[in-house]
Amino acid sequence: YRNLRPYYKFTLPPVDLDPKELAVWGEEALEAAQLAQQLHALREAGVALSVRSTDLLAIDDAETAKRQAFVERHKATPLVQPTCVTCMETIKKNLEEPDSVSCLCVGTEAGQLLILDPSGTSVAHKIALPATPVFLSVSGLLDVDYRVMVAARNGVVYTVKNHELSTAVIELESQPCGLLRTPKTIIVGCMNNTVHSYHVKGKKNFSLYLPASVLCMELLSVQRQRMVKALIVALANGEVRVYNEKQLVSIHQTNDLVVGMRFGRFGREDNTLISTHASGALSIKILPRRANMEASANGTGPPPEQDIPLNIPKKTKLYVEQTQREREQAIDMHRIFQRDLCKLRLSTARAYVRVLTDGQGPISYTAGSSLRLNAQVQGLGPHFKIKLNLQNTGSKPIFGLPMMLTSSPVYKISTAQIHIPILLPGLNYLFEAEVQCMDANGAADSIRVFVFSPSSVVPVLSAIVKMPLSEILEQ
């Protein structure tokens, strides 16, 4: 339309169909059953069928008469696959001026991006896309260098650069509901109440998590002392938010849901936001000329205290001398540190080996055997039950191991000695011992568990069970 009157009309070209499908429908005296069988074979082979073929295959095989009537009704009609427009955008041809010649970019349901000539009578360029486009964002000049960001229905953002589809894609967390482009960033609104900002090369900058669903988005561009670009987001709860990068600059509430927005010059005002609402209303809001659109306008970000310098004390003579000594003897100091570190590691390793060989830990590797002991306490008191889990992690069985439980007079152990006839490799053996707290005040102490070997006086392994405080029974 031009001056509110029809200017020109363009009809989308039909989708190119597969020659095999055209050949099937072009055969004479073909029965419906044979036609359906051949179309089914083409679909199994990965051929994208037309709507007519899909409707024919949707008819049940038992309804032979209905399928034959469908074939007779459409047999004389040429097989054509129409398509529809899903999104549109304009691109300047060779000059970046407000009144320069521009071309129309059209996204179709068939997964195509069509760039029309300036007269709008023919297709200048056709780019095939992997999915159906739903949003377009254009930057650059058609005759010089341009990029078209395409948000598809499958949740992926594609890039078309100079008539070619780029291999770099942006995979979104959910389906897109808005797409904007700034000189260095790509802003995508998603259906999971988030807005993501990406670099033009695909790296994510940040994400905004919103309290409601995103209905529409618009880019706010204000020329002040420097160019300020902000994001306007209309939400399903009636809020219209303005973000400068990650910072929230402004919020205003509307009485109706906003379904469309456009920011730009209206009349004599350069900065005007025109919104259309779900009820059919139209609202016009003018940006105040003194409005602060900077990211720090709402006081968020780092606290102002970080700009206050710290009161660092002056360098003393001792500090200067110590620094000079470290510079001169840096190599010797490093060698001494490495030597002490090696000694510490050696002492730690020796202590660990001593614990394993002397039976002072829950794991033992002495006498060619490998044992592991775990203890667990059950009960609130004064009666407890200690569950001992003993496992032979070695490769040979062990015979005749005695186990002993010792404690202070605080506890009375019903089974202080347990004889273990055999421990097979890889099996867990569970032993239980009942313990009674004899202290009137419910005091807590430790119980030591020892596992001995018949051939040595040194315990094979040991464990310390820390008992909890006991509940006091009222008489």
Side-chain angles (χ1 to χ4, degrees):
Y1 289 85
R2 186 174 186 179
N3 296 328
L4 302 180
R5 294 183 179 180
Y7 184 57
Y8 68 84
K9 178 182 178 181
F10 176 78
T11 304
L12 293 178
V15 180
D16 297 334
L17 298 177
D18 193 272
K20 297 180 181 179
E21 184 182 2
L22 295 175
V24 170
W25 280 98
E27 297 181 7
E28 297 291 339
L30 186 64
E31 296 294 334
Q34 299 177 1
L35 179 61
Q37 185 178 2
Q38 295 183 15
L39 292 177
H40 180 75
L42 291 179
R43 186 173 62 179
E44 293 296 328
V47 177
L49 300 180
S50 61
V51 177
R52 183 194 299 181
S53 300
T54 306
D55 293 342
L56 177 61
L57 294 178
I59 301 176
D60 191 65
D61 296 339
E63 300 178 358
T64 308
K66 184 176 181 181
R67 178 176 287 181
Q68 186 65 33
F70 181 88
V71 173
E72 295 296 335
R73 185 169 61 253
H74 295 88
K75 189 174 182 179
T77 306
L79 183 61
V80 179
Q81 174 68 13
T83 185
C84 59
V85 178
T86 57
C87 52
M88 294 191 301
E89 192 57 73
T90 58
I91 180 173
K92 300 294 183 181
K93 183 172 176 56
N94 48 24
L95 290 176
E96 193 67 42
E97 299 293 337
D99 55 350
S100 61
V101 178
S102 61
C103 301
L104 186 64
C105 299
V106 180
T108 66
E109 184 68 30
Q112 294 178 342
L113 176 62
L114 306 179
I115 302 179
L116 309 184
D117 59 356
S119 61
T121 57
S122 61
V123 178
H125 304 283
K126 180 188 295 185
I127 300 97
L129 300 174
T132 302
V134 290
F135 294 99
L136 299 178
S137 180
V138 180
S139 63
L141 302 176
L142 182 62
D143 294 343
V144 183
D145 182 55
Y146 75 94
R147 290 175 183 265
V148 180
M149 309 304 300
V150 183
R153 193 172 293 164
N154 60 348
V156 179
V157 179
Y158 300 96
T159 304
V160 177
K161 181 179 180 182
N162 299 334
H163 317 319
E164 295 183 358
L165 181 64
S166 176
T167 57
V169 299
I170 300 175
E171 296 184 0
L172 304 175
E173 299 176 357
S174 62
Q175 277 65 34
C177 57
L179 176 66
L180 296 176
R181 169 73 187 270
T182 62
K184 294 184 179 180
T185 59
I186 303 168
I187 303 174
V188 185
C190 298
M191 292 186 180
N192 58 349
N193 304 352
T194 57
V195 174
H196 303 287
S197 173
Y198 297 89
H199 192 266
V200 290
K201 295 184 178 180
K203 182 181 179 180
K204 180 183 283 190
N205 297 327
F206 59 86
S207 298
L208 299 175
Y209 297 93
L210 305 174
S213 302
V214 178
L215 297 181
C216 56
M217 303 191 308
E218 177 63 12
L219 188 64
L220 184 147
S221 180
V222 180
Q223 181 65 43
R224 298 285 175 82
Q225 296 179 354
R226 65 183 186 89
M227 178 65 70
V228 177
K229 291 186 178 293
L231 172 66
I232 307 176
V233 185
L235 304 180
N237 59 357
E239 292 182 353
V240 177
R241 297 189 170 202
V242 181
Y243 287 92
N244 190 342
E245 294 183 352
K246 294 188 295 184
Q247 307 299 331
L248 179 61
V249 177
S250 172
I251 299 178
H252 70 269
Q253 189 74 29
T254 59
N255 297 327
D256 194 7
L257 298 181
V258 178
V259 295
M261 294 186 297
R262 183 64 68 181
F263 183 86
R265 183 178 179 85
F266 181 73
R268 298 176 59 183
E269 293 293 334
D270 293 332
N271 305 316
T272 307
L273 178 64
I274 300 179
S275 306
T276 56
H277 300 269
S279 61
L282 181 72
S283 62
I284 301 175
K285 295 183 180 295
I286 300 175
L287 182 69
R289 299 184 179 181
R290 294 186 179 182
N292 190 358
M293 303 300 297
E294 297 295 331
S296 59
N298 59 346
T300 59
E305 289 79 5
Q306 74 171 9
D307 298 329
I308 301 175
L310 299 176
N311 187 14
I312 301 176
K314 295 182 179 180
K315 297 180 180 179
T316 61
K317 183 179 180 180
L318 178 62
Y319 173 79
V320 175
E321 293 177 355
Q322 192 74 4
T323 305
Q324 184 65 23
R325 185 182 70 87
E326 292 178 358
R327 291 177 181 176
E328 295 176 354
Q329 304 178 8
I331 299 177
D332 296 337
M333 295 176 63
H334 179 69
R335 289 176 179 174
I336 294 173
F337 171 76
Q338 292 293 333
R339 184 191 63 187
D340 295 343
L341 182 60
C342 292
K343 288 184 177 180
L344 178 61
R345 291 175 178 173
L346 179 60
S347 301
T348 305
R350 287 177 177 175
Y352 181 67
V353 173
R354 192 180 305 114
V355 169
L356 296 180
T357 55
D358 294 348
Q360 299 298 322
I363 303 176
S364 175
Y365 297 94
T366 60
S369 61
S370 176
L371 301 179
R372 184 186 299 272
L373 176 64
N374 294 324
Q376 184 180 4
V377 181
Q378 293 182 350
L380 300 176
H383 296 280
F384 299 94
K385 179 181 289 186
I386 299 179
K387 290 188 175 182
L388 302 172
N389 190 351
L390 188 61
Q391 182 183 9
N392 180 8
T393 58
S395 58
K396 297 181 181 180
I398 304 175
F399 301 92
L401 293 182
M403 182 187 299
M404 180 178 294
L405 287 77
T406 62
S407 67
S408 62
V410 176
Y411 296 103
K412 178 182 179 181
I413 305 175
S414 61
T415 307
Q417 295 183 1
I418 301 174
H419 180 70
I420 305 172
I422 185 173
L423 289 178
L424 296 178
L427 298 180
N428 291 325
Y429 292 86
L430 182 62
F431 305 96
E432 295 181 355
E434 295 183 358
V435 179
Q436 181 180 358
C437 180
M438 306 302 296
D439 189 84
N441 297 323
D445 201 352
S446 299
I447 296 178
R448 299 181 65 90
V449 182
F450 298 96
V451 178
F452 296 94
S453 174
S455 61
S456 176
V457 295
V458 179
V460 177
L461 57 82
S462 63
I464 300 176
V465 182
K466 294 184 178 180
M467 303 295 293
L469 293 174
S470 175
E471 296 288 341
I472 303 174
L473 295 179
E474 297 180 359
Q475 300 295 335

